[in-house]
Amino acid sequence: MYVKIFSTLRRMEMREWIRAARMHAKLTQSQLGERLGVSKGNVSAWENGHHEASVEQVNRIAEITGYVERLTVPASLPSSAGTEMWAQWPFPQVDQNKVRQLDKESAISLQAAILIAAAQVGLDIRK
């Protein structure tokens, strides 16, 4: 869903997008919050621009509501110079669904392998 919501045609701010997604699904703030496991206050704060939902929460909102309008890439993602590349899954030969379905131990092993490979080619991608 991440690729889909960040690659449609129209751009929206996060707060506008969350409200539009909720309205699209005909949900109240309380109902959306309940499905996300957060309070109505959290949803309200997102919609009013007081707080920003995480990428994971945005993905979950898209799944819950079926809303796919374009969303401006959040500041927490790579800088605007590379946003077009990062707006889509950046690894065309890697199945992102398989990666997302990995168990915790396998995900840790994959992360270690990626960090080792990056270091071997001189890239520091650690947080």
Side-chain angles (χ1 to χ4, degrees):
M1 190 57 77
Y2 176 79
V3 172
K4 197 167 196 165
I5 64 172
F6 287 99
S7 64
T8 55
L9 298 175
R10 190 169 156 249
R11 288 187 174 265
M12 301 178 91
E13 294 296 322
M14 172 101 51
R15 63 185 183 82
E16 297 168 330
W17 186 91
I18 292 171
R19 178 173 168 73
R22 180 177 61 78
M23 299 301 285
H24 171 79
K26 297 180 173 115
L27 296 172
T28 65
Q29 290 178 341
S30 295
Q31 290 168 325
L32 180 59
E34 185 177 307
R35 291 185 185 186
L36 290 168
V38 300
S39 69
K40 172 190 175 192
N42 282 104
V43 176
S44 176
W46 297 335
E47 289 183 5
N48 290 307
H50 299 298
H51 298 287
E52 206 169 82
S54 70
V55 172
E56 291 79 18
Q57 289 166 322
V58 171
N59 284 330
R60 185 78 179 107
I61 292 168
E63 289 171 7
I64 290 167
T65 64
Y67 193 68
V68 295
E69 281 292 317
R70 185 176 176 117
L71 173 64
T72 301
V73 177
S76 59
L77 292 178
S79 70
S80 59
T83 53
E84 287 309 312
M85 181 185 97
W86 288 102
Q88 297 180 10
W89 180 252
F91 310 107
Q93 296 180 351
V94 178
D95 185 332
Q96 68 176 315
N97 293 320
K98 288 181 180 178
V99 171
R100 293 181 194 283
Q101 293 173 1
L102 292 173
D103 61 66
K104 186 175 181 177
E105 187 176 315
S106 296
I108 290 169
S109 295
L110 177 60
Q111 176 178 278
I114 291 169
L115 290 170
I116 290 167
Q120 288 175 339
V121 295
L123 299 174
D124 182 5
I125 59 171
R126 294 171 291 152
K127 283 187 177 180

